[in-house]
Amino acid sequence: DIQMTQSPSSVSASVGDRVTITCRASQGISSWLAWYQQKPGKAPKLLIYAASSLQSGVPSRFSGSGSGTDFTLTISSLQPEDFATYYCQQANSFPVTFGGGTKVEIK
Amino acid sequence: QVQLVQSGAEVKKPGASVKVSCKASGYTFTSYGISWVRQAPGQGLEWMGWISAYNGNTNYAQKLQGRVTMTTDTSTSTAYMELRSLRSDDTAVYYCARDRSGSGSRPLFDYWGQGTLVTVSS
């Protein structure tokens, strides 16, 4: 199975800050990586697919980059509604695996 | 608009079975796959398996093999997930999610159900 490792596990930031979350795959997955946002008590929401493609309706302050084993999710200017937990997911092959999550908290 | 509506919360005793439904609307059901993902309290996301709504092909997480069965009813556009021999560590919110890739070749989840809490307790 492909292991996905996210860092940091949590980050404290203020509104307007730039936030970067990283995800590392245990083996190369080309660009087959997705990012999700989850708020408490809600289902995950797809933000980014194919490492850098923005899902329809997602604000442009979210961006993704990377290929192979190392990937990044960047929020360019954190907004109040962005405080949530973020997960990466490899879409290269079954079994699907997720990173452990990164909680973005208010500083 | 695409919607996945799941059945309600369940409380089960250890050793029992649970069957969760996921009714799809707003798209051609047989053109996409459905995955099931669960989340234990305070924990991350765990993929359970995938089913093609086109031909019923399945792919299950190894740790659940033998305890989980995923099915679909194309006449009602509904997917089902049955988990047997329940244990306390199966307590979780269970989500269905549409696989945008359709064939399962690059599983990617663009729409999710609202989640179903399954509590396993004696």
Side-chain angles (χ1 to χ4, degrees), chain A residues 36 38 49 89 91-92 94, chain B residues 39 59 95 100 106-107 109 113:
Chain A
Y36 299 86
Q38 187 180 33
Y49 63 95
Q89 175 234 322
N92 184 71
F94 288 135
Chain B
Q39 186 170 38
N59 191 306
Y95 294 102
R100 202 175 95 152
R106 303 296 182 191
F109 312 127

Side-chain angles (χ1 to χ4, degrees), chain A residues 32 34 36 38 42-46 49 55 87 89-96 98 100, chain B residues 35 37 39 43-47 50 59 95 100 104-110 112-114:
Chain A
W32 299 111
Y36 299 86
Q38 187 180 33
K42 299 294 187 182
K45 173 187 174 183
L46 178 64
Y49 63 95
Q55 174 70 353
Y87 294 93
Q89 175 234 322
Q90 64 84 10
N92 184 71
S93 60
F94 288 135
V96 171
F98 292 90
Chain B
S35 265
V37 176
Q39 186 170 38
Q43 302 302 307
L45 303 172
E46 178 186 14
W47 179 78
W50 171 90
N59 191 306
Y95 294 102
R100 202 175 95 152
S105 59
R106 303 296 182 191
L108 180 67
F109 312 127
D110 58 352
W112 294 65
Q114 82 276 19

Side-chain angles (χ1 to χ4, degrees), chain A residues 1-21:
Chain A
D1 298 3
I2 300 173
Q3 306 304 316
M4 306 301 293
T5 304
Q6 275 183 247
S7 61
S9 56
S10 66
V11 57
S12 294
S14 301
V15 172
D17 284 354
R18 181 182 183 89
V19 173
T20 299
I21 299 167

Side-chain angles (χ1 to χ4, degrees), chain A residues 67-107:
Chain A
S67 67
T69 60
D70 294 310
F71 302 87
T72 299
L73 173 70
T74 299
I75 309 171
S76 61
S77 177
L78 200 64
Q79 298 302 299
E81 60 268 30
D82 301 337
F83 291 96
T85 300
Y86 294 83
Y87 294 93
C88 61
Q89 175 234 322
Q90 64 84 10
N92 184 71
S93 60
F94 288 135
V96 171
T97 45
F98 292 90
T102 297
K103 187 173 184 179
V104 177
E105 300 174 298
I106 301 171
K107 192 171 188 178

